[in-house]
Amino acid sequence: GNRATKGDGGAIYSSDANTLTLQTTQVDGNLATNGGAMSSSTSNSWTVINSYFRNNVATKSGGALSQQQNTALYLDADVYFVNNSAVFG
């Protein structure tokens, strides 16, 4: 996995009005301060389809995902969250 030891989004970080679609994706074994797998800041739109988030760790919040300020999250069919952890949720 990836490590963002001084930042957010171990695998993916999105900021400032971006659109992101993950389809048939496995995000596994990442580490970050917030959003072990993925983190966003302002006004993003995420769509996740047929994907797995496993074994991701956040040292603060959002073991798998962390969203801030007006981020829309759409989870479609077959999205799984397994063994993700964080200090705060």
Side-chain angles (χ1 to χ4, degrees):
N2 300 295
R3 296 178 180 269
T5 55
K6 294 184 180 180
D8 299 339
I12 298 168
Y13 178 76
S14 178
S15 66
D16 301 326
N18 289 299
T19 299
L20 173 69
T21 299
L22 294 179
Q23 184 168 358
T24 315
T25 304
Q26 180 172 309
V27 186
D28 192 350
N30 299 287
L31 171 72
T33 304
N34 297 296
M38 295 172 53
S39 183
S40 76
S41 62
T42 308
S43 299
N44 289 282
S45 176
W46 293 349
T47 301
V48 182
I49 304 163
N50 192 31
S51 297
Y52 284 83
F53 292 86
R54 287 183 235 197
N55 304 317
N56 298 290
V57 176
T59 58
K60 286 190 178 177
S61 64
L65 305 173
S66 175
Q67 298 175 277
Q68 302 172 23
Q69 299 179 350
N70 302 318
T71 295
L73 173 63
Y74 305 99
L75 299 177
D76 207 333
D78 298 320
V79 177
Y80 300 94
F81 296 89
V82 179
N83 199 37
N84 299 288
S85 62
V87 175
F88 306 106

